[in-house]
Amino acid sequence: MNVRTPDPNPGWLSEDDLFEARGRLPMVYVEAVPVRLDPLGFVNEVGTLLQADEDGTMIRSLVSGRVLYRETIRAALLRHMEKDLGPLAFPQLPVSPVPFTVAEYFPAPSHTGFTDDRQHAVALAYVIPVTGECTPRQDALELTWMTPQEVMSSDVQLEFSGGRGALIRQALAFAGVGN
């Protein structure tokens, strides 16, 4: 089962070249935690994507994807938000592309707590408010909006793979949730 979102512009590297590059270089990614805000600007909902992994196990994930050669971080964020949440999500990109954290993923468990069995990846992580209607990407079964308390519950945290539960906790702390 292929759980990857089809890339509408796959020409930058063939699958073989990408496999080769992943074995030799860290890949640059952007990750976004989609949120809905109340009228005062406080996070009242967090969006997560529910999908099946290669084994058919249900996992939760975030908006995520590679930064293409000669692509700005802002352009990569917008492209992946649209690809994963649909063209009517209306993400509110930050004025400055400064991430709330940089997550380092390794193919084997490491001291960072983030894993990606395909590669060594460096992900710039953002909290991105969305105001429009969201429809999940092709490989996601649903987009679930949860309160910060729900997404922080131990049951939901266990559904994230590769350490992304910790990324959610960092995102909410950055947004002032729980302070």
Side-chain angles (χ1 to χ4, degrees):
M1 168 188 276
N2 185 356
V3 296
R4 293 185 40 205
T5 302
D7 191 341
N9 185 14
W12 76 290
L13 286 176
S14 70
E15 288 296 319
D16 290 338
D17 289 342
L18 180 58
F19 179 79
E20 181 75 20
R22 282 180 166 155
R24 295 174 179 242
L25 303 166
M27 303 302 285
V28 179
Y29 276 70
V30 290
E31 289 194 296
V33 178
V35 297
R36 297 225 188 253
L37 305 177
D38 70 12
L40 294 175
F42 293 106
V43 173
N44 61 8
E45 290 183 308
V46 178
T48 65
L49 297 163
L50 184 66
Q51 64 187 64
D53 68 7
E54 294 84 18
D55 301 330
T57 304
M58 301 308 290
I59 59 170
R60 294 212 177 267
S61 66
L62 304 172
V63 172
S64 179
R66 291 187 312 267
V67 177
L68 300 178
Y69 178 70
R70 299 185 64 97
E71 182 177 43
T72 66
I73 299 300
R74 292 178 66 78
L77 276 169
L78 186 59
R79 180 171 58 86
H80 288 294
M81 292 293 288
E82 183 175 299
K83 184 175 74 167
D84 288 356
L85 300 180
L88 300 177
F90 302 130
Q92 307 299 302
L93 296 182
V95 173
S96 173
V98 176
F100 71 85
T101 195
V102 176
E104 295 179 88
Y105 290 87
F106 291 95
S110 73
H111 63 279
T112 69
F114 297 108
T115 59
D116 183 336
D117 59 357
R118 303 168 301 166
Q119 64 195 341
H120 173 195
V122 176
L124 308 173
Y126 299 85
V127 176
I128 306 288
V130 295
T131 59
E133 291 299 316
C134 298
T135 54
R137 61 188 183 187
Q138 293 179 6
D139 61 332
L141 301 173
E142 70 179 33
L143 171 67
T144 306
W145 290 101
M146 293 181 255
T147 67
Q149 295 74 24
E150 291 169 332
V151 80
M152 295 290 286
S153 74
S154 58
D155 289 342
V156 173
Q157 287 284 302
L158 290 173
E159 294 176 4
F160 287 101
S161 67
R164 286 180 181 85
L167 202 60
I168 289 282
R169 291 191 304 274
Q170 289 177 10
L172 291 175
F174 173 79
V177 174
N179 293 339

